[in-house]
Amino acid sequence: MTTLRRLRYTHGFVDRHGRARYYVRIPGRKQVPLRGAFGDAQFMSDYHAALEEAPRKEIGSERTRAGSVSQAIIAYYRDNSFTGLAAGTRAMRRAILEQLRQEQPPGTIPFGERPIAPLRQQHIAILLGRKKPFAARNWLKTLRGLMQFAVATGRIDTDPTQGIKPPKARPGEIHSWTDEEIAQYEATHAIGTRPRLALALLLFTAQRRGDIVRLGPQHIRNGELTVRQEKTGVTLTLPVRAELAAILAATAGDHLSFLVAANGKPFSPAGFGNIFREWCQQAGLPDRCSAHGLRKAACRMLAKSSMSNAREKQHVECSPRRDAASPKSRRSAATEHCPRCPAILAPPVKRSSPNRPARGLSRPSRRPKPEHNNGKP
């Protein structure tokens, strides 16, 4: 016999007149009443019709204007071009787009209520001009993704972000921990504590904090640590250093994550960054010491070491967006010693001028051009 529990999206109750009523409630759709007694032919016919033909009710459609920026943003949230992004990228872009919807210059309506079709390049340029350089770069990437989706779906004719160059911004310097600062932290937090375990994971794996908080005993097998980086999507197999293995063995834990908060749940990347800063303050370290600075320290240690095991150096990957053969590429010390980097095997040749060969190199000989006699013998 068919039961109410087995019929998905079905909800039933008895009204004040003692009559049983049943409805199909699908998230995002309007509820549909079911006629007849439960389980009979009329009931099942209405049930299957409600599953197949019930019109989808767009969430928030009553609060947004047709053809507005807000309506395009809501549709963009459900598109594969947005849902296929990494979780951190989606969170950043959603925060920017929600702020864009509330953006309201003096004497105007909110940006989200404006029609998207008349947007032009000058409107985007004015919007980005009020942001700081790094924020403007993130806003441009986010708006470019939204406008490309709007063009593909016919909401706007041309992409207003096309032709706008990202503003130039000087990158900030992240402090790399010194050996003295690492020793000071270790003197404050003994082996077997969460702060010491966090230091060991950052220092001996050289991974980002978003990857550190997801590491657990299930990622270690046969003395190797396997991690799939959240930012790049690359799967790495790292050898577990003896120092890290000793600290893991001394730290008690029965969770799926090595690092857990006081409530027993895993840290979020931002929450781990905040608690790690507090642990640094307890050790008397300056504010410049951060979790990412330990990753740079690990790169420095690998670059200075004389290890012959190439696999252990590969856990600091070369960035594919920087051409190692270009003289203008900026490489860290660890990247310059990376066995996979082509700049190690063939370093770029420095030239004094673009038209003069470098010292010790000769200009290739040129063959004389054949004389044309216009067909004369």
Side-chain angles (χ1 to χ4, degrees), residues 1 14 49 60 62 68 89 104 113 144 147 155 252 255 295 319 327 362 367:
M1 179 178 179
V14 178
E62 299 178 355
S68 63
T89 305
Q104 184 176 2
E113 299 180 7
R144 184 161 291 165
M147 295 307 166
R155 289 178 167 83
H255 300 275
R295 187 168 189 256
S319 175
S362 61
R367 295 182 179 180

Side-chain angles (χ1 to χ4, degrees), residues 34 60 87 102 112 116 125 158 190 204 206 225 229 246-247 283 304 354:
L34 302 178
Q102 304 299 328
I116 191 174
T158 58
F204 297 122
L225 175 66
Q229 293 184 331
I247 295 177
K304 291 183 178 180

Side-chain angles (χ1 to χ4, degrees), residues 95-139:
I96 292 176
L97 292 176
E98 292 302 319
Q99 186 177 351
L100 172 67
R101 297 171 67 178
Q102 304 299 328
E103 191 87 9
Q104 184 176 2
T108 61
I109 62 176
F111 205 91
E113 299 180 7
R114 300 182 184 182
I116 191 174
L119 286 181
R120 294 296 179 264
Q121 184 177 1
Q122 58 268 25
H123 301 139
I124 304 299
I126 295 175
L127 184 64
L128 298 179
R130 296 194 290 262
K131 310 297 179 183
K132 293 183 179 180
F134 275 109
R137 294 174 71 93
N138 293 333
W139 273 68

Side-chain angles (χ1 to χ4, degrees), residues 11 23-26 29-33:
H11 173 73
Y23 293 89
V24 172
R25 294 181 177 179
I26 301 177
R29 298 185 183 183
K30 187 177 181 179
Q31 66 177 5
V32 179

Side-chain angles (χ1 to χ4, degrees), residues 35-258:
R35 298 171 295 176
F38 180 82
D40 63 4
Q42 182 66 46
F43 181 92
M44 298 305 299
S45 177
D46 291 351
Y47 173 74
H48 292 295
L51 294 182
E52 297 177 359
E53 301 178 2
R56 177 174 291 276
K57 184 179 179 181
E58 300 292 344
I59 299 176
S61 59
E62 299 178 355
R63 301 188 299 271
T64 58
R65 296 181 179 180
S68 63
V69 176
S70 292
Q71 189 185 51
I73 292 175
I74 293 174
Y76 177 57
Y77 285 158
R78 299 191 302 269
D79 190 71
N80 292 333
S81 59
F82 180 81
T83 58
L85 299 173
T89 305
R90 291 199 307 269
M92 181 198 69
R93 293 195 177 187
R94 184 182 288 271
I96 292 176
L97 292 176
E98 292 302 319
Q99 186 177 351
L100 172 67
R101 297 171 67 178
Q102 304 299 328
E103 191 87 9
Q104 184 176 2
T108 61
I109 62 176
F111 205 91
E113 299 180 7
R114 300 182 184 182
I116 191 174
L119 286 181
R120 294 296 179 264
Q121 184 177 1
Q122 58 268 25
H123 301 139
I124 304 299
I126 295 175
L127 184 64
L128 298 179
R130 296 194 290 262
K131 310 297 179 183
K132 293 183 179 180
F134 275 109
R137 294 174 71 93
N138 293 333
W139 273 68
L140 179 59
K141 293 178 183 178
T142 303
L143 292 177
R144 184 161 291 165
L146 173 65
M147 295 307 166
Q148 289 176 355
F149 163 77
V151 171
T153 55
R155 289 178 167 83
I156 192 171
D157 297 333
T158 58
D159 182 5
T161 63
Q162 188 175 4
I164 298 181
K165 296 182 179 180
K168 295 182 179 180
R170 298 183 61 183
E173 180 66 23
I174 298 179
H175 171 68
S176 177
W177 287 45
T178 62
D179 296 340
E180 292 76 13
E181 291 170 341
I182 296 176
Q184 182 177 347
Y185 185 97
E186 293 176 343
T188 304
H189 303 289
I191 295 178
T193 60
R194 285 189 307 162
R196 185 61 174 274
L197 177 60
L199 176 78
L201 289 173
L202 290 168
L203 191 60
F204 297 122
T205 65
Q207 299 304 304
R208 303 174 181 89
R209 63 180 185 180
D211 301 321
I212 293 296
V213 296
R214 295 186 293 110
L215 293 181
Q218 67 276 9
H219 296 103
I220 297 180
R221 185 173 298 177
N222 298 327
E224 292 181 338
L225 175 66
T226 303
V227 55
R228 186 177 185 272
Q229 293 184 331
E230 180 184 16
K231 182 176 181 180
T232 63
V234 178
T235 301
L236 302 177
T237 302
L238 318 177
V240 179
R241 299 281 297 272
E243 300 90 336
L244 177 59
I247 295 177
L248 289 174
T251 306
D254 54 353
H255 300 275
L256 293 178
S257 299
F258 290 131

